[in-house]
């Protein structure tokens, strides 16, 4: 099976990091937006859930040996179209937790050859399964910093 235990342990910690960052925040902070074009914390978390859905598809396409270009998504329109700021953070986080768990079970089953399988990302670059997972982890860490910035900006108001 996989020899990427560091990446898998990081992957498995993502839900806890997001949950800890947002634990017990009042609703006002979770839904606060600096301006009309900025995202709230709930919108950031919803985006991460949307991203998880898209990465799930990308991962499975690559593992299946598909030659199609991996899909992109319009993150701002997805957030707006689903009225994400009206969402419930508990529902978003619980769905995210379940998806991460389900995918962690898949990742544990992958062979060394599976981690090297590749596809073409939306920017026309070749990416491996390992690249996809590393990018997914980095993406969450980027948005953890965004959540911290939102909390800081909120404190200035």
């Amino acid at each position: 099976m996989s020899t990427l235990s560091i990446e898998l342990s990081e992957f498995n910690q993502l839900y806890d990091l997001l949950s800890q960052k947002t634990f017990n925040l009042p609703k006002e902070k979770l839904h606060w937006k600096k301006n009309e074009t900025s995202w709230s914390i709930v919108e950031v978390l919803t985006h991460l859930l949307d991203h998880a859905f898209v990465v799930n598809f990308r991962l499975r396409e690559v593992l299946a040996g598909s030659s199609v270009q991996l899909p992109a998504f319009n993150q701002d329109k997805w957030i707006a179209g689903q009225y994400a700021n009206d969402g419930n953070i508990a529902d978003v986080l619980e769905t995210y937790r379940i998806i991460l768990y389900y995918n962690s079970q898949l990742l544990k089953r992958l062979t060394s050859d599976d981690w090297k399988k590749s596809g073409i990302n939306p920017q026309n670059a070749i990416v491996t399964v390992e690249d996809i997972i590393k990018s997914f982890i980095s993406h969450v860490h980027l948005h953890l910093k965004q959540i911290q910035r939102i909390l800081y900006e909120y404190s200035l108001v």
Side-chain angles (χ1 to χ4, degrees):
M1 292 297 166
S2 170
T3 59
L4 301 173
S5 61
I6 294 173
E7 286 83 358
L8 287 180
S9 66
E10 287 183 62
F11 182 87
N12 291 332
Q13 294 170 359
L14 295 175
Y15 166 79
D16 290 337
L17 292 172
L18 291 168
S19 183
Q20 290 166 6
K21 183 66 77 177
T22 58
F23 182 72
N24 276 342
L25 289 177
K27 189 174 183 176
E28 181 181 317
K29 279 187 183 180
L30 293 170
H31 296 272
W32 179 82
K33 295 170 69 145
K34 180 179 176 180
N35 56 49
E36 218 29 58
T37 60
S38 298
W39 283 353
S40 69
I41 292 172
V42 171
E43 289 172 323
V44 171
L45 294 173
T46 302
H47 163 70
L48 288 172
L49 180 56
D50 290 343
H51 183 252
F53 290 139
V54 172
V55 169
N56 289 340
F57 183 83
R58 292 174 183 166
L59 178 62
R60 283 155 178 82
E61 278 296 303
V62 171
L63 289 171
S66 174
S67 60
V68 300
Q69 184 172 26
L70 302 173
F73 69 111
N74 188 325
Q75 62 187 26
D76 292 315
K77 287 186 178 183
W78 280 34
I79 291 298
Q82 62 188 306
Y83 306 99
N85 204 36
D86 296 332
N88 181 317
I89 189 172
D91 294 340
V92 173
L93 283 172
E94 180 62 9
T95 305
Y96 193 79
R97 183 190 66 76
I98 291 167
I99 288 171
L100 285 181
Y101 175 78
Y102 183 71
N103 280 326
S104 72
Q105 300 309 300
L106 166 62
L107 297 175
K108 287 179 191 176
R109 296 190 301 265
L110 298 183
T111 65
S112 295
D113 288 343
D114 290 329
W115 285 96
K116 296 173 189 167
K117 288 182 177 179
S118 63
I120 306 296
N121 73 9
Q123 293 77 34
N124 289 316
I126 296 173
V127 291
T128 65
V129 168
E130 184 174 0
D131 295 333
I132 292 168
I133 298 304
K134 284 182 176 181
S135 177
F136 182 84
I137 292 167
S138 295
H139 187 249
V140 173
H141 285 282
L142 174 78
H143 286 293
L144 281 164
K145 291 176 185 172
Q146 181 184 18
I147 291 169
Q148 191 60 45
R149 281 192 309 273
I150 293 168
L151 290 170
Y152 174 74
E153 291 167 349
Y154 178 86
S155 73
L156 298 176
V157 178

